[in-house]
Amino acid sequence: MLIIATAQVVYLQSCQTRDARFSQYYVQGQQLYVQYCSNCHQKDGTGLGLLYPPVSQSDFVDQRFNEVVCSMRNGLRGSIIVNGREYNQPMPGIPYLTDLEVAEISTYLYNTWGRKRGLVTVEEVQRVSAVCTP
Amino acid sequence: MLPVLLVAIVSILESCKTKELPLPIFGERKVVNGDTLFHRIAPFAFVDQDSAVVTNDTFRGKVYVADFFFTSCRTICPIMKTQMLRVYEATRDMPDVQIISHTIDPEYDTVALLRDFAKRLGVESGRWHFVTGVKDSIYKIAQTSYFATALEDKSEPDGFIHSGAFLLIDRQGRIRGKYDGTKEEEVNRLIVDIKKLRREGNP
């Protein structure tokens, strides 16, 4: 009886942990997005003219997860094509963002504006960051 | 009794409607021979994104909005430009309303770079001037004419300190409003004030 109860608790916890973690990351990620990204990319993710590309409806964000994760800390330089349009404003990186913060922003970005990637974990961010091209 | 009261109420309401308080006039004022002399924007000459010289004459008989920024700024400038774009769009059909955005980093922000910046922002008409010039002249006009902070400061993340203020200037070169260009509500107020200032008519 006790074993069943324990198993149940463990089962519930692991389930809840993933869901609770997702909500936690998502909410925190939204705040970080507003603080660090929305200046240029706007709160609604639509960007500004041909200066700052959109991150809401964006083939670049959809298809280039690794580069997007890397860009948060390392920035981006040079010309990029987003939705067929060319952008060329240097993006300054925020080098002091922690792995957790990058995971939180990524969780927000990849589960908003129609995206449903699910939780982006710290481990995933570490894996991607290990192979960023500076 | 009732009609009298009604008339009184209506006339009070009417007086509210027609009597619009004029916008304040900023800065020091002096009285000379019974005439009040107000603070005015000092003479200036800068170059805009189309290589045209922009002076006080450019804005003669026009209402204009001024701000200070630089293209590589990552802090408040993107928000300021988002908000100024709203001003630009709200005044689309008003040829007598213009905008001047001074770069405070003229060494980096050349005419060519400002032209590219304006184009990418979607600014095509000549109503919005992105100007560059002699650095000291830009800082001086910011501080002494517009009362806006613009200074080089190597200890700042971007190398400059500057305010996010939008200044509203009337047809006589007088400051009539100061707004925080990073706040949507303040910029809403600016758009209302621009219309108010246009109604003042020519001096």
Side-chain angles (χ1 to χ4, degrees), chain A residues 39-40 42 49-50 86 89 92, chain B residues 71 74-75 78-79 82 120-121:
Chain A
N39 247 8
C40 294
Q42 313 291 322
L50 288 173
E86 188 253 356
Q89 186 77 7
Chain B
T71 64
R74 60 190 133 165
T75 51
I79 291 202
T82 306
R120 286 178 175 276
L121 198 58

Side-chain angles (χ1 to χ4, degrees), chain B residues 65-91:
Chain B
V65 182
D67 76 345
F68 295 83
F69 85 115
F70 54 108
T71 64
S72 60
C73 154
R74 60 190 133 165
T75 51
I76 57 174
C77 310
I79 291 202
M80 289 168 71
K81 286 295 152 280
T82 306
Q83 291 302 323
M84 195 62 101
L85 201 59
R86 290 182 54 227
V87 176
Y88 175 70
E89 270 154 16
T91 57

Side-chain angles (χ1 to χ4, degrees), chain B residues 18-48:
Chain B
T18 50
K19 227 182 175 178
E20 190 175 71
L21 277 175
L23 296 171
I25 300 169
F26 287 62
E28 273 185 29
R29 56 193 65 186
K30 277 185 278 196
V31 178
V32 177
N33 300 331
D35 285 333
T36 309
L37 299 181
F38 294 97
H39 170 85
R40 280 167 209 262
I41 304 303
F44 62 84
F46 299 119
V47 180
D48 75 6

Side-chain angles (χ1 to χ4, degrees), chain B residues 2 10 12 20 37 44-45 48 59 61 64 84 102-103 119 134-135 146 154 157 180 188 198:
Chain B
L2 198 66
V10 166
I12 286 167
E20 190 175 71
L37 299 181
F44 62 84
D48 75 6
F59 304 113
Y64 74 95
M84 195 62 101
H102 310 72
T103 177
K119 215 177 92 194
V134 177
K135 197 196 301 192
Y146 293 104
K154 297 277 183 247
D180 184 340
N188 291 343
R198 288 179 82 217

Side-chain angles (χ1 to χ4, degrees), chain B residues 29-176:
Chain B
R29 56 193 65 186
K30 277 185 278 196
V31 178
V32 177
N33 300 331
D35 285 333
T36 309
L37 299 181
F38 294 97
H39 170 85
R40 280 167 209 262
I41 304 303
F44 62 84
F46 299 119
V47 180
D48 75 6
Q49 73 271 29
D50 298 320
S51 300
V53 177
V54 175
T55 67
N56 311 66
D57 277 346
T58 310
F59 304 113
R60 194 169 293 274
K62 296 187 174 85
V63 163
Y64 74 95
V65 182
D67 76 345
F68 295 83
F69 85 115
F70 54 108
T71 64
S72 60
C73 154
R74 60 190 133 165
T75 51
I76 57 174
C77 310
I79 291 202
M80 289 168 71
K81 286 295 152 280
T82 306
Q83 291 302 323
M84 195 62 101
L85 201 59
R86 290 182 54 227
V87 176
Y88 175 70
E89 270 154 16
T91 57
R92 190 167 284 281
D93 303 321
M94 305 174 192
D96 58 325
V97 178
Q98 300 217 350
I99 301 169
I100 182 169
S101 290
H102 310 72
T103 177
I104 58 168
D105 186 9
E107 280 151 21
Y108 182 78
D109 288 338
T110 57
V111 167
L113 212 140
L114 291 174
R115 183 166 53 232
D116 182 61
F117 186 88
K119 215 177 92 194
R120 286 178 175 276
L121 198 58
V123 176
E124 269 150 25
S125 90
R127 286 198 306 114
W128 190 346
H129 308 270
F130 294 82
V131 300
T132 184
V134 177
K135 197 196 301 192
D136 289 345
S137 311
I138 296 171
Y139 290 3
K140 192 172 170 202
I141 200 126
Q143 301 277 6
T144 62
S145 277
Y146 293 104
F147 307 126
T149 314
L151 290 170
E152 206 161 4
D153 185 340
K154 297 277 183 247
S155 66
E156 283 289 306
D158 282 328
F160 298 92
I161 42 172
H162 69 120
S163 79
F166 289 177
L167 292 313
L168 176 60
I169 314 300
D170 71 10
R171 294 184 176 93
Q172 301 175 59
R174 304 176 302 187
I175 304 176
R176 304 298 295 274

